[in-house]
Amino acid sequence: GDSHTVFEAFETTLAEIDQEIGQRIQGMKKAQESRGWEQSSPALVVIRGDRTADKIKAEVTFQLRAEATDAAEAGLQAGTLPGGPTAIGVHMGLRTTLAESDAALDAWIKEQGKSPRGDARWYVFVNRTGDSNEPEAVPEAELKTLLYQPVE
């Protein structure tokens, strides 16, 4: 079934998305800790609509074990991610080249006789570049992103 989420929506570019996400996750983690929300997966980035636009509509999203009825008090929104069949892809490298992996996943979905369900695709940014003292920081070529697309 569907999973409960709490999210913050924003507009950004793929070139700036890592920095935007890092800042927003920190604020969301503070809200999560102060409210006792139980996160059920790593943070996700949901992109809605045209993923190739100059400015994309994105959401930093935490999946939760229960509904966040007090999300608005934390300046966030409560929502859901759809359950059901989902195609999964892997992208290696810069986020600015995600369009290549998006296109490959779209082609694979079509080859399977399926079609995307809904206007959202979500991403798990497994690691990131940054200060070499951060344990999750990696060179740009080793950036790993998981792509999730609900299908029907």
Side-chain angles (χ1 to χ4, degrees):
D2 293 354
S3 61
H4 297 289
T5 65
V6 63
F7 66 94
E8 182 178 355
F10 60 100
E11 287 191 7
T12 189
T13 65
L14 283 176
E16 298 169 346
I17 200 163
D18 272 338
Q19 181 178 355
E20 289 271 357
I21 290 166
Q23 294 170 355
R24 293 170 193 281
I25 285 176
Q26 293 310 313
M28 289 179 66
K29 282 189 182 284
K30 289 178 185 173
Q32 173 195 4
E33 291 168 5
S34 69
R35 291 172 169 22
W37 299 332
E38 287 187 60
Q39 197 172 334
S40 62
S41 74
L44 309 171
V45 176
V46 176
I47 297 178
R48 296 189 183 276
D50 184 0
R51 296 181 302 273
T52 62
D54 289 339
K55 285 278 190 177
I56 55 173
K57 294 178 181 173
E59 302 163 3
V60 172
T61 303
F62 288 178
Q63 285 183 285
L64 304 176
R65 298 197 188 285
E67 186 176 2
T69 56
D70 56 349
E73 296 168 22
L76 303 171
Q77 299 177 58
T80 59
L81 284 177
T86 304
I88 303 171
V90 177
H91 173 79
M92 297 299 294
L94 293 172
R95 315 274 192 237
T96 54
T97 61
L98 267 172
E100 298 166 14
S101 294
D102 279 328
L105 184 60
D106 289 340
W108 184 86
I109 290 168
K110 188 174 182 178
E111 288 170 10
Q112 305 309 306
K114 305 282 184 186
S115 58
R117 181 170 37 96
D119 72 339
R121 176 168 290 172
W122 60 91
Y123 303 82
V124 174
F125 292 178
V126 176
N127 51 23
R128 61 191 186 94
T129 61
D131 186 325
S132 60
N133 295 324
E134 297 176 20
E136 66 275 6
V138 298
E140 292 175 344
E142 295 177 24
L143 285 170
K144 183 177 183 180
T145 306
L146 303 178
L147 297 70
Y148 294 82
Q149 177 64 58
V151 296
E152 53 188 5

